[in-house]
């Protein structure tokens, strides 16, 4: 089906000539594969091979021919087929009627959506559109385009990395990284808090390979992560205080090393930055982050020693009130040590996954939304909205009740609306708040094009499997609603959107070629900001000019709550049958919270918003002031840590400061 007949015949002849009957069958199975790509909200964007196994089951593997994937994938991929085939999956539109879910056909479901939108079109801001990145791909922009065209209220900001990537935009004028292969040219690397095996299995593999060739890695972290086996040295730091450690080392740098005039000539705000360091006292900076002078000495020498030093910034540093500031001071240290713009150096974070694609077709000039809410505070803003109040919500690509802070408030706000539409595949915490659920096609069941947070490859996403039941892709759903409106809203053709997305100066390809090859690397530099030429209009770097004190723990809540990522699930994409009846939390064995705690009795995490029953365990190396929880489990399955986390917004980027939450431990 997927090879030209003549090509298939030639290959089959060679296999028959050279191999046994068993080998012939396995070779034919391989030829009948589909090459596609992972669209999870994960940096790696793995290239995948989908084929029928010898037992008749679907096989899902990493593509050995892809230069980054190299034939292996993470645990999330290995469990995805189970997710597709789950008996708990929603396979038809469901309408809530007097508290009871009843199946309806697509015609009625789409007509209901169109009628409600038409009713509210005179005041379109009364509709709020909440879209997440639960699935990546350029066609996901079609839903956003539709609601922009009708003028609905949108959400902005991020529940993930916005404070971090906006720090890079503030500093460098863009969010670019060296090619990840350039890590092999580094003599040393400082890992500021990235949990390598859980956050990016291919970055972990690259670091492991580079270490075999001599790379030395220093990890700075509150502990409790999986980076021990990827580290030669470690510094344990108080959560959320990385900016003070970077400032302490910078202060020492300026007193022991002459300032390179070539660097200063390519920067702005130097005097204000220098004044902050002059006013600071090293002992105070180190006390703020809980780091000893000997640790600061090691970090200073790590950046100072000969050879290039790469900086790796974890996507947890920005999950604090001053998350952007944390990242900006680390970038300043990378710059002042001479490691920006040189091979083997650089500061790595998340790339803009659509930077090499052209999404100009997804803009709606002159008819954009009239109002916007921050994603981390969307529940509060829905409740407070006036002129007009919010009456309808459309939610796709995100389990917003589970993932946003203050889950109970978000659920209450959605349940009070006249009509809430949720596009999803499972009865998660957000679907429970809906009036209408539209069954979503999942990864492997829909066509698309994706970029990556980690590398510069653009990939074609083939639909390898048919969507079951009445499940449909987001782009199909919104296009069908659009044409039922009165008057209808014109939406671009899907194939045209795919083709136009490749019309980018970095991509020398077209849709047909990309389909054939599967992947193409964008023509971007392997080393960014060479010659200290940055992407601000004047070409200069911006130093940070603030260093805020870290607020103390509130009375009665001594533990900093770190709701960290899981290894086997992205966000809340978990099957209900895989969730524990009592979630686990971890503290350090020497945590003061254990002094008055009876380990033989039930444990609860308690915040001003409520309490959550947990199974308490200890973990070596964790900071004693922290408690660790693996996020993503659902409230309806006895989990849902965001029910304890108050909503707010980070210093820049409109992100969620999850790790600003303090809790206590109770029996």
């Amino acid at each position: 089906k997927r090879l030209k007949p003549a090509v298939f015949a030639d290959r089959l002849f060679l296999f028959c000539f050279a191999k046994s009957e068993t080998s012939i069958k396995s070779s034919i199975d391989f030829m009948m594969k589909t090459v596609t790509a992972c669209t999870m909200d994960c940096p790696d964007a793995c290239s995948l091979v989908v084929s029928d196994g010898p037992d008749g089951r679907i096989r899902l593997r990493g593509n050995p021919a892809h230069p980054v994937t190299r034939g292996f994938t993470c645990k999330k991929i290995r469990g995805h087929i189970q997710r597709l085939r789950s008996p708990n999956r929603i396979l038809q539109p469901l309408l809530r009627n007097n508290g009871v879910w009843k199946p309806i056909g697509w015609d009625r479901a789409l007509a209901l959506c169109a009628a409600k939108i038409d009713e509210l079109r005179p005041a379109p801001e009364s509709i709020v559109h909440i879209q997440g990145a639960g699935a990546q791909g350029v066609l996901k922009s079609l839903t956003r385009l539709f609601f922009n065209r009708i003028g609905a209220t949108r959400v902005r900001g991020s529940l993930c990395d916005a404070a971090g990537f906006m720090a890079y935009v503030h500093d460098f004028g863009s969010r670019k990284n060296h090619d990840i292969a350039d890590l092999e040219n580094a003599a040393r690397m400082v890992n500021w808090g990235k949990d390598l095996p859980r956050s990016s299995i291919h970055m972990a593999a690259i670091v492991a390979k580079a270490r075999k060739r001599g790379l030395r890695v220093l990890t700075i972290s509150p502990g409790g992560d999986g980076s021990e086996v990827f580290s030669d040295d470690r510094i344990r730091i108080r959560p959320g205080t990385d900016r003070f450690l970077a400032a302490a080392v910078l202060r020492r740098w300026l007193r022991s090393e002459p300032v390179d005039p070539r660097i200063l000539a390519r920067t702005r705000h130097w005097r204000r930055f220098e004044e902050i360091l002059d006013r600071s006292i090293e002992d105070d900076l180190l006390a703020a982050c809980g780091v000893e002078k000997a640790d600061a000495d090691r970090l200073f020498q790590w950046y100072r020693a000969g050879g290039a030093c790469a900086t790796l910034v974890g996507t947890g540093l920005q999950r604090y009130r001053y998350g952007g500031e944390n990242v900006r001071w680390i970038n300043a240290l990378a710059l002042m040590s001479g490691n920006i713009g040189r091979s083997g150096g650089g500061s790595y974070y998340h790339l803009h996954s659509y930077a090499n694609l052209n999404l100009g077709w997804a803009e709606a000039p002159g008819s954009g939304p009239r109002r916007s809410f921050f994603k981390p505070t969307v529940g509060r803003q829905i409740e407070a909205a006036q002129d007009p109040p919010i009456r309808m919500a459309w939610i796709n690509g995100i389990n917003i009740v589970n993932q946003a802070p203050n889950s109970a408030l978000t659920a209450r706000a959605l349940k009070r609306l006249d009509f809430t539409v949720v596009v999803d595949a499972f009865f998660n915490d957000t679907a429970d708040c809906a009036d209408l659920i539209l069954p979503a096609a999942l990864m492997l069941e829909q066509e698309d094009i994706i970029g990556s947070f980690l590398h510069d490859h653009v990939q074609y996403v083939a639909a390898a499997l048919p969507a079951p039941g009445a499940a449909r892709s987001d782009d199909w759903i919104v296009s069908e609603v659009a044409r039922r409106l009165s008057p209808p809203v014109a939406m671009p053709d899907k194939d045209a959107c795919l083709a136009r997305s490749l019309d980018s100066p970095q991509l020398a390809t077209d849709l047909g070629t990309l389909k054939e090859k599967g992947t193409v690397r964008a023509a971007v530099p392997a080393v960014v900001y060479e010659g200290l030429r940055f992407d601000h209009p004047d070409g200069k770097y911006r130093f940070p000019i603030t260093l805020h004190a870290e607020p103390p723990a509130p009375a009665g809540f001594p533990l900093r709550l770190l709701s960290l990522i899981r290894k086997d699930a992205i966000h809340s994409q978990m099957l209900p049958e895989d969730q524990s009846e009592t979630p686990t939390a971890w503290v350090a064995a020497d945590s003061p919270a254990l002094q008055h705690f009876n380990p033989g009795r039930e444990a609860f995490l308690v915040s001003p918003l409520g309490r959550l029953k947990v199974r308490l365990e200890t973990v070596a190396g964790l900071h004693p002031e922290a408690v660790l929880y693996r996020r993503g489990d659902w409230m309806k399955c006895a989990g849902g840590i965001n029910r304890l986390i108050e909503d707010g917004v980070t210093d820049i980027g409109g992100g969620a400061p999850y790790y600003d939450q303090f809790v206590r431990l109770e029996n």
Side-chain angles (χ1 to χ4, degrees):
K1 292 182 179 179
R2 296 180 180 88
L3 290 176
K4 294 179 180 178
V7 175
F8 181 83
D10 287 345
R11 292 188 186 179
L12 183 59
F13 172 80
L14 292 173
F15 283 127
C16 291
F17 185 81
K19 301 193 177 221
S20 68
E21 183 179 349
T22 303
S23 296
I24 291 170
K25 183 181 186 306
S26 64
S27 300
I28 293 174
D29 287 343
F30 179 77
M31 288 191 294
M32 303 309 291
K33 69 185 181 183
T34 299
V35 176
T36 185
C38 175
T39 57
M40 292 185 190
D41 190 18
C42 169
D44 295 33
C46 294
S47 178
L48 303 176
V49 176
V50 185
S51 61
D52 292 332
D55 57 358
R57 296 182 180 181
I58 297 168
R59 295 184 65 193
L60 182 58
R61 299 168 289 162
N63 182 3
H66 191 273
V68 178
T69 304
R70 296 182 181 273
F72 65 94
T73 62
C74 68
K75 191 174 181 180
K76 296 184 288 291
I77 293 294
R78 295 195 294 271
H80 185 66
I81 297 299
Q82 179 187 358
R83 179 171 169 79
L84 295 180
R85 299 292 183 258
S86 171
N88 290 303
R89 186 169 175 184
I90 299 170
L91 298 178
Q92 54 191 327
L94 297 173
L95 180 67
R96 191 195 298 269
N97 187 356
N98 294 324
V100 178
W101 290 107
K102 295 190 175 182
I104 60 174
W106 269 113
D107 284 341
R108 186 182 175 201
L110 296 168
L112 284 171
C113 295
K116 193 63 181 180
I117 292 172
D118 273 337
E119 176 189 340
L120 299 176
R121 282 178 85 176
E125 305 99 320
S126 61
I127 304 170
V128 61
H129 174 223
I130 305 171
Q131 180 165 331
Q136 295 285 315
V138 300
L139 293 181
K140 305 305 180 289
S141 295
L142 274 166
T143 308
R144 190 175 291 111
L145 172 63
F146 168 74
F147 284 101
N148 283 351
R149 283 186 171 174
I150 67 172
T153 298
R154 67 182 177 102
V155 295
R156 58 193 176 98
S158 168
L159 298 181
C160 185
D161 58 358
F165 72 66
M166 285 307 299
Y168 279 76
V169 173
H170 280 31
D171 292 343
F172 304 113
S174 60
R175 45 188 292 203
K176 297 177 180 177
N177 294 348
H178 292 0
D179 187 299
I180 54 172
D182 188 61
L183 274 176
E184 296 184 10
N185 298 317
R188 294 169 312 286
M189 184 178 81
V190 180
N191 173 12
W192 293 80
K194 191 172 185 68
D195 186 336
L196 285 164
R198 289 186 180 88
S199 63
S200 174
I201 191 172
H202 290 93
M203 173 65 89
I206 290 167
V207 171
K209 180 181 177 183
R211 289 184 72 214
K212 290 181 179 179
R213 296 184 177 182
L215 175 72
R216 297 177 64 236
V217 178
L218 169 65
T219 295
I220 302 168
S221 165
D225 53 35
S227 296
E228 293 88 349
V229 297
F230 297 90
S231 306
D232 300 286
D233 202 354
R234 292 179 64 85
I235 295 174
R236 191 173 71 176
I237 191 170
R238 178 175 288 124
T241 61
D242 300 75
R243 61 192 182 277
F244 302 116
L245 179 56
V249 175
L250 278 161
R251 188 179 187 279
R252 187 177 299 187
W253 194 285
L254 297 185
R255 279 157 175 72
S256 61
E257 301 285 337
V259 178
D260 189 336
R262 293 172 298 178
I263 293 178
L264 294 188
R266 303 300 306 160
T267 63
R268 296 193 62 182
H269 309 317
W270 163 250
R271 290 302 177 195
R272 295 172 70 180
F273 174 75
E274 186 182 32
E275 287 172 3
I276 293 174
L277 294 176
D278 282 341
R279 293 196 306 267
S280 300
I281 299 171
E282 182 176 303
D283 287 348
D284 292 343
L285 293 171
L286 295 180
C289 58
V291 170
E292 301 293 331
K293 282 193 174 184
D295 295 326
D297 290 339
R298 299 205 318 277
L299 180 58
F300 176 64
Q301 294 301 329
W302 212 270
Y303 275 105
R304 186 186 189 191
C309 180
T311 296
L312 181 60
V313 178
T315 50
L317 297 180
Q318 83 287 348
R319 289 173 170 252
Y320 299 90
R321 184 184 313 181
Y322 300 113
E325 209 170 83
N326 277 335
V327 177
R328 296 198 68 191
W329 280 88
I330 292 169
N331 282 340
L333 178 54
L335 176 79
M336 291 300 294
S337 61
N339 284 292
I340 296 298
R342 67 180 292 190
S343 179
S347 180
Y348 293 82
Y349 189 63
H350 275 179
L351 293 169
H352 187 342
S353 61
Y354 298 117
N356 297 317
L357 292 157
N358 178 11
L359 294 187
W361 59 265
E363 302 297 327
S367 59
R370 301 171 179 84
R371 179 168 62 182
S372 62
F373 298 156
F374 280 118
K375 194 174 289 184
T377 57
V378 66
R380 186 176 302 279
Q381 291 186 272
I382 287 173
E383 285 202 330
Q386 298 295 328
D387 301 322
I390 298 296
R391 296 180 57 194
M392 176 182 177
W394 183 288
I395 305 167
N396 65 294
I398 188 169
N399 181 2
I400 188 68
V401 170
N402 177 280
Q403 293 174 247
N406 206 338
S407 296
L409 173 62
T410 306
R412 183 182 70 208
L414 294 177
K415 288 177 179 178
R416 289 179 176 177
L417 300 182
D418 296 348
F419 197 58
T420 296
V421 179
V422 172
V423 183
D424 212 309
F426 294 94
F427 274 108
N428 54 38
D429 293 330
T430 301
D432 276 351
C433 300
D435 298 289
L436 177 65
I437 301 175
L438 304 179
L442 297 177
M443 186 177 82
L444 304 184
E445 299 170 350
Q446 49 191 320
E447 182 185 30
D448 219 318
I449 291 172
I450 59 164
S452 167
F453 308 150
L454 177 67
H455 52 77
D456 284 301
H457 289 267
V458 169
Q459 300 181 81
Y460 175 65
V461 180
L465 303 170
R472 297 290 185 269
S473 64
D474 287 15
D475 56 273
W476 181 90
I477 294 170
V478 76
S479 296
E480 288 297 313
V481 171
R483 73 182 185 87
R484 285 170 168 79
L485 296 181
S486 181
V489 172
M491 296 293 289
D493 175 72
K494 182 184 79 169
D495 290 338
C497 294
L498 292 172
R500 290 173 63 187
S501 297
L502 299 175
D503 185 14
S504 166
Q506 297 93 269
L507 296 176
T509 191
D510 56 31
L511 184 57
T513 303
L514 184 63
K515 285 184 177 183
E516 180 181 348
K517 292 184 175 180
T519 184
V520 61
R521 187 185 184 278
V524 295
V527 175
V528 298
Y529 311 129
E530 280 193 292
L532 299 184
R533 293 183 296 272
F534 302 104
D535 289 336
H536 286 295
D538 60 3
K540 294 185 176 183
Y541 172 90
R542 269 52 167 173
F543 282 111
I545 55 174
T546 58
L547 183 62
H548 288 91
E550 187 68 13
F557 299 96
L559 294 174
R560 175 88 73 162
L561 175 59
L562 303 180
S563 49
L564 306 183
I565 60 172
R566 292 174 178 265
K567 196 172 187 176
D568 55 354
I570 190 80
H571 304 320
S572 66
Q573 293 179 14
M574 305 174 64
L575 294 175
E577 58 264 32
D578 292 339
Q579 301 186 46
S580 172
E581 294 182 1
T582 304
T584 302
W586 293 265
V587 294
D590 59 343
S591 173
L594 295 177
Q595 292 179 1
H596 305 290
F597 181 79
N598 184 345
R601 296 177 57 197
E602 289 183 339
F604 291 86
L605 292 180
V606 182
S607 83
L609 294 183
R611 64 205 313 254
L612 178 65
K613 183 180 177 181
V614 296
R615 182 175 62 251
L616 191 67
E617 296 183 6
T618 59
V619 60
L622 182 64
H623 196 283
E625 297 174 17
V627 57
L628 189 156
Y629 187 101
R630 297 290 174 189
R631 64 179 180 261
D633 49 3
W634 303 353
M635 288 195 296
K636 63 188 296 181
C637 296
I641 193 62
N642 285 330
R643 69 173 82 191
L644 300 186
I645 298 177
E646 298 182 74
D647 52 323
V649 180
T650 53
D651 52 349
I652 55 177
Y658 296 100
Y659 301 169
D660 261 14
Q661 186 64 54
F662 287 86
V663 296
R664 67 171 176 261
L665 193 61
E666 286 184 359
N667 280 129

